[in-house]
Amino acid sequence: MPKKRKLEVSDASVPKTTPVEVIIEDLTSHPICLHGPTLLFSSEKGRYYACALCRNKECTVHIDEEDWQKENVKKRNEKYYSLIPKLDKPASWSNLSEIKAAHYTDRAYCNTCEELYLLSQRKKHAKDHRIITPLTDEQLSHPTTWLPMLENDSIEAQYIFTKKSVSTVFGILKNNNISNILCIGTPSVHEEAKSNSEFKSLLLDYDKRHHLFHSPKEFIWYNMFNNYLFNGNEDEKVLKKFFKNSRDGGICIVMDPPFGGRVEPLIQTIKDLTSLYKEICDKPDKGLLPVLWAFPYFSEPYITNMVPEIKMHDYQIEYTNHKKFHNKTKDGYKFVSPVRFFTNLPLRTIDLSNDSHYKLCNKCKFFVAVSNKHCNKCGTCTSKNGMTYIHCDICKRCVKPTFFHCKECDRCCQQRNHICGVVVESQSCFNCQEKGHKKSNCPQLQREGNKKKRKSA
């Protein structure tokens, strides 16, 4: 049950947790860590540089903006340039060719050492090492079907699309005449593209194990939160060549970031990749590259506020290795994945006519979940989470069916265990979408109100 706190009636009422802002700017002058250039964050305590990737302070680099101006701090930070490893992709590609030439019973992979090798040519690994053998040709071409998932959920958050979700992706791409895919954190899509002659694909992923199974031209070790290529100029050439070859076949970014990651740097990465593509292909047209972005539905306000051209579709993306991220029925209750596609492709091109869980809305002109009801007052199919939403005439918006309009609180509230005057920490403000306060006590609106008062005075 969400934590609750008593609502203090005060003009100075603020959220329990202070917001942290990501300052979007050029990263070339930023300090670095083992995960590439850091990001600049801002909070009420000040501005500071911290890791772009780690979310649980597992990366120890944390430098105040003022301290970064000191020469001794910059000198100490230089050590990371030599600590960031480089991948020997040509050697790995040569090794894979040797592995493929051998009998499948002689092939082995040590997950402890992250090594692909032949049993007949190497010394035995320690008994406590996790060895996977034999390996068929199919397994070598589809490593996501058997590679153990990385366990550090705060960094990798590694979940793999189901075959059904992958098939949906390719259906969308075909309907938009796109044959080139920039796969960012979507190795299962990359593997499927390699087995389909109609598509060309390049995988950008933080999981460096993939370089053991793909050619140097098909994989880049990458941090999507700071657009960092770990192999530097070598990988930059690979990316630019892929963009150049994609000029006439249509291209789409298919990305699946860790769900705890900040939206701001991800959007900046899309913008940076778009700019690079347009520069290389000499395409001055406005707008972002086509993108299919897998992210939870509750992130919709943050994404659409920053890039209005990106819309959320109602398709529920399922994953093979996450108990919550797939649709199921248990004890009479239906559970659906909270992950959706955010895209700037026309929603009508997402054809789900062969899936009984979806229907074509004649008013919206695109497919939505069967449970999603079109609201004439809102002018759209309003459900976000698989439930059938209801319209509140007072709030002038559709809400979950588990909500009711509380006159005392002057808003729609969760009906279960509702206590007037108590704010549910997990419930978002209707104005700023931050959690822990109501719209009537939104600090953002209070600041705007104070500005107006000063102007009128």
Side-chain angles (χ1 to χ4, degrees):
M1 179 179 171
K3 292 182 179 179
K4 296 183 178 181
R5 63 176 173 84
K6 290 185 178 180
L7 177 63
E8 297 178 4
V9 183
S10 168
D11 291 338
S13 179
V14 294
K16 192 173 183 179
T17 56
T18 56
V20 176
E21 181 185 0
V22 181
I23 308 299
I24 299 300
E25 60 178 18
D26 185 12
L27 306 182
T28 53
S29 62
H30 285 204
I32 68 167
C33 65
L34 290 175
H35 310 100
T38 56
L39 298 179
L40 179 60
F41 296 89
S42 177
S43 70
E44 66 173 10
K45 296 181 180 179
R47 288 156 61 111
Y48 59 92
Y49 297 98
C51 181
L53 182 65
C54 298
R55 289 164 282 153
N56 289 339
K57 298 182 179 179
E58 295 190 22
C59 181
T60 57
V61 174
H62 186 288
I63 302 173
D64 290 337
E65 187 179 29
E66 292 182 1
D67 289 341
W68 181 238
Q69 306 306 317
K70 301 174 183 177
E71 286 301 320
N72 62 325
V73 176
K74 291 185 177 181
K75 196 71 176 177
R76 287 199 302 269
N77 187 254
E78 288 178 359
K79 67 180 181 181
Y80 286 101
Y81 285 101
S82 59
L83 292 176
I84 298 176
K86 302 291 183 184
L87 299 180
D88 190 346
K89 295 199 291 183
S92 296
W93 179 239
S94 176
N95 180 62
L96 181 62
S97 299
E98 184 181 354
I99 298 294
K100 286 182 175 180
H103 194 269
Y104 79 97
T105 57
D106 194 25
R107 303 167 182 168
Y109 174 78
C110 176
N111 190 58
T112 309
C113 301
E114 296 186 356
E115 180 187 5
L116 187 64
Y117 66 101
L118 294 177
L119 294 170
S120 60
Q121 294 183 5
R122 300 288 174 90
K123 293 181 180 179
K124 289 185 177 180
H125 286 243
K127 290 183 179 180
D128 60 340
H129 284 206
R130 187 174 180 181
I131 308 298
I132 300 172
T133 189
L135 294 173
T136 65
D137 289 346
E138 177 69 16
Q139 287 175 305
L140 289 178
S141 61
H142 292 80
T144 58
T145 61
W146 58 272
L147 268 180
M149 295 298 102
L150 297 177
E151 296 177 352
N152 193 336
D153 194 61
S154 67
I155 298 177
E156 291 94 4
Q158 197 172 46
Y159 305 115
I160 305 299
F161 288 166
T162 61
K163 289 184 178 180
K164 176 184 175 183
S165 296
V166 171
S167 177
T168 300
V169 169
F170 281 88
I172 297 169
L173 298 177
K174 287 180 180 179
N175 290 342
N176 286 277
N177 298 315
I178 292 171
S179 58
N180 300 284
I181 316 171
L182 190 65
C183 296
I184 303 181
T186 51
S188 57
V189 175
H190 179 61
E191 291 169 5
E192 183 63 26
K194 286 180 62 177
S195 63
N196 191 325
S197 60
E198 296 180 28
F199 293 92
K200 299 293 183 183
S201 174
L202 174 62
L203 175 62
L204 281 64
D205 203 293
Y206 181 69
D207 184 357
K208 62 181 183 293
R209 297 178 301 174
H210 289 295
H211 88 283
L212 301 172
F213 304 95
H214 303 292
S215 79
K217 297 179 181 179
E218 295 172 334
F219 173 75
I220 291 176
W221 187 22
Y222 183 72
N223 183 349
M224 69 179 80
F225 289 98
N226 54 12
N227 194 28
Y228 184 67
L229 311 172
F230 285 92
N231 269 36
N233 292 334
E234 177 188 331
D235 280 345
E236 186 177 352
K237 291 178 182 178
V238 173
L239 179 59
K240 287 182 176 180
K241 187 174 182 179
F242 179 77
F243 277 162
K244 187 176 181 180
N245 294 337
S246 304
R247 190 181 191 282
D248 299 321
I251 187 172
C252 181
I253 298 172
V254 180
M255 60 188 291
D256 186 19
F259 298 150
R262 295 292 295 250
V263 166
E264 304 95 324
L266 292 172
I267 291 175
Q268 187 58 41
T269 289
I270 296 173
K271 291 179 178 179
D272 290 342
L273 291 171
T274 297
S275 297
L276 180 62
Y277 175 81
K278 290 180 178 179
E279 176 187 334
I280 292 171
C281 298
D282 192 24
K283 292 197 174 185
D285 55 303
K286 297 180 181 179
L288 299 173
L289 282 175
V291 60
L292 274 175
W293 175 355
F295 224 51
Y297 70 83
F298 43 78
S299 298
E300 182 186 20
Y302 307 103
I303 296 175
T304 56
N305 283 343
M306 294 187 69
V307 274
E309 63 265 40
I310 292 182
K311 307 295 183 183
M312 186 180 81
H313 190 269
D314 207 24
Y315 180 72
Q316 298 154 5
I317 304 170
E318 299 181 67
Y319 294 81
T320 60
N321 57 325
H322 197 291
K323 61 182 180 180
K324 292 183 179 180
F325 295 164
H326 61 261
N327 301 341
K328 63 179 180 179
T329 301
K330 183 178 180 181
D331 298 330
Y333 291 94
K334 184 180 180 181
F335 298 89
V336 299
S337 169
V339 188
R340 304 289 183 270
F341 275 133
F342 291 84
T343 184
N344 52 356
L345 292 169
L347 298 186
R348 66 178 182 276
T349 62
I350 302 179
D351 184 3
L352 304 175
S353 55
N354 292 327
D355 194 325
S356 61
H357 295 97
Y358 300 91
K359 65 181 180 182
L360 179 64
C361 176
N362 293 325
K363 295 179 180 178
C364 291
K365 304 299 182 184
F366 57 82
F367 282 88
V368 297
V370 171
S371 58
N372 202 342
K373 185 178 179 181
H374 188 92
C375 176
N376 292 322
K377 294 178 181 178
C378 293
T380 186
C381 291
T382 53
S383 175
K384 309 294 183 184
N385 66 349
M387 294 180 175
T388 302
Y389 280 30
I390 55 176
H391 190 85
C392 175
D393 290 324
I394 301 174
C395 293
K396 297 181 180 179
R397 65 195 293 264
C398 282
V399 297
K400 297 177 183 178
T402 54
F403 278 46
F404 80 108
H405 191 87
C406 176
K407 294 181 180 179
E408 184 73 22
C409 297
D410 192 28
R411 66 178 286 166
C412 286
C413 306
Q414 184 76 35
Q415 192 163 11
R416 184 181 180 185
N417 299 321
H418 174 68
I419 303 174
C420 290
V422 175
V423 176
V424 180
E425 294 288 354
S426 63
Q427 193 165 313
S428 299
C429 166
F430 285 172
N431 176 61
C432 69
Q433 309 301 327
E434 291 290 339
K435 296 179 179 179
H437 65 272
K438 301 191 300 182
K439 180 179 178 180
S440 59
N441 294 291
C442 179
Q444 189 181 90
L445 292 178
Q446 289 174 358
R447 287 195 296 269
E448 292 174 358
N450 291 335
K451 287 180 181 178
K452 290 179 180 178
K453 287 180 181 179
R454 285 196 294 269
K455 286 182 180 179
S456 60

